[in-house]
Structure formats: structure tokens, C-alpha cells
Amino acid sequence: MTLFNKSYYDVSLCQGAVGSGGGSGGDNENQDILSKIKIAMTKNIDFDTLGTNIGNKLNQVIATGVPTEISYGFVCGFSSGLALKKFGKVASIVLGLGFAALQTLSYAGYIQIDHVQLQKDVERAMDLNKDGKVDAKDMEQMVDKVLEVLQFGIPGGAGFVTGFIGGFRSG
């Protein structure tokens, strides 16, 4: 019992391009699709020559030093991204505890906080493009600046950025 009928082979294999001429007659009609693909893949392929050619090309690529630069950049980027994420978590805990402490002291009557002025000062510090509002453009500018500083002079910048994103998303 076959899984697919003859008309399926004709349509899916470009009118029987794999197998015996248009799917007409022969033992190929009774074979499943995986057998046909396996037969097509193994015909006239010298695996020794193929392996030698692939090995030679890999040696040439490795000799250029590019894989080493990319992997070095990736490891540095991953470590930097992970460290920056951990630092961000610690900073948010410290800021949160500081805010809670200030609010507690204010509630108890020991200090007075001018929240309007505090908000203006924080927004002024975070408004990197000086357009009067803190938005996604400011965040984008901050990320660009951080990446510029962190990957300064490191070969394999694409590997660094990829590693940085991976490190920041993990942990």
C-alpha cells in the first residue's frame, strides 16, 4: 500500500522529473518519495572527492582568520550583553530600594520630595537627542552608543552584536 498516489508524484515532482520519465511504468512507481530522493542524491556522486573539496574549502576559510574573529567577537559580545543585563537588574533593585526608602522617609515626615522637579531632572538626563521628550529614539541612541563603546577595536563586529543580543536575552 503506497502513501501517495501516482498523480501526486507527477505534480509534486515536476511531472515525474525524478524517477523514470514522467512516472510511467517501471519499478519507480512503487517506491515512495524518500526512496526516489535517495536514488537521485546518490547517482554519480563521488563522496571522496566531495569530502576532499569541502575539507580544502574549510581549511582556506579557517586560514583567513575570519571564523576566529567572529567567534572572539561573539564571546565578547555575549559576555558583555549578559553582564549589562545583570547590571541593569542590580541597578533597578538599588533604584527601587532607594525610591522606597525616600518615600518612607517622606511619609514619616522626615524629608520632603519635589516630585515635579525630580521628574524634570530625570527626563532631562534621559532625553539624549534633546527633543524635549523621552521616547524610542532616545533608547535607540543609547543602545547605539553602548554598542559603539563596547565593540570599539574588536574584529568581527557582526559576531559581537549577535553575541551581545544573545547574552542580553539569556540569563
Side-chain angles (χ1 to χ4, degrees):
M1 175 186 219
T2 59
L3 192 57
F4 304 106
N5 61 24
K6 181 181 172 288
S7 64
Y8 176 81
Y9 287 123
D10 289 343
V11 172
S12 67
L13 296 176
C14 300
Q15 308 305 325
V18 176
S20 63
S24 60
D27 291 334
N28 286 339
E29 274 188 78
N30 297 328
Q31 294 176 341
D32 64 348
I33 189 75
L34 294 176
S35 296
K36 287 185 178 187
I37 291 171
K38 190 181 287 186
I39 290 169
M41 294 291 291
T42 58
K43 283 187 177 178
N44 300 324
I45 295 177
D46 182 10
F47 287 106
D48 291 334
T49 305
L50 180 65
T52 302
N53 289 340
I54 290 173
N56 289 339
K57 292 293 182 186
L58 283 174
N59 285 335
Q60 290 173 357
V61 169
I62 291 171
T64 64
V66 171
T68 305
E69 290 177 6
I70 290 174
S71 62
Y72 174 73
F74 181 85
V75 169
C76 291
F78 187 88
S79 302
S80 298
L82 186 63
L84 192 63
K85 184 173 185 176
K86 297 295 181 183
F87 175 77
K89 287 181 178 182
V90 170
S92 65
I93 289 171
V94 169
L95 288 174
L97 288 174
F99 175 77
L102 288 175
Q103 282 298 104
T104 302
L105 292 172
S106 177
Y107 180 78
Y110 292 108
I111 62 172
Q112 291 213 350
I113 301 172
D114 186 359
H115 287 285
V116 174
Q117 185 61 41
L118 182 62
Q119 180 181 359
K120 287 179 185 176
D121 291 342
V122 169
E123 285 178 356
R124 193 175 317 121
M126 294 182 70
D127 185 19
L128 299 178
N129 60 4
K130 306 298 181 207
D131 63 352
K133 59 185 175 185
V134 178
D135 54 5
K137 293 177 184 175
D138 294 309
M139 182 65 158
E140 193 175 300
Q141 188 174 349
M142 183 175 57
V143 168
D144 289 344
K145 186 63 176 174
V146 167
L147 286 176
E148 178 184 334
V149 169
L150 290 177
Q151 68 181 355
F152 177 76
I154 292 180
F160 181 88
V161 172
T162 305
F164 183 86
I165 292 169
F168 196 79
R169 292 188 70 177
S170 68

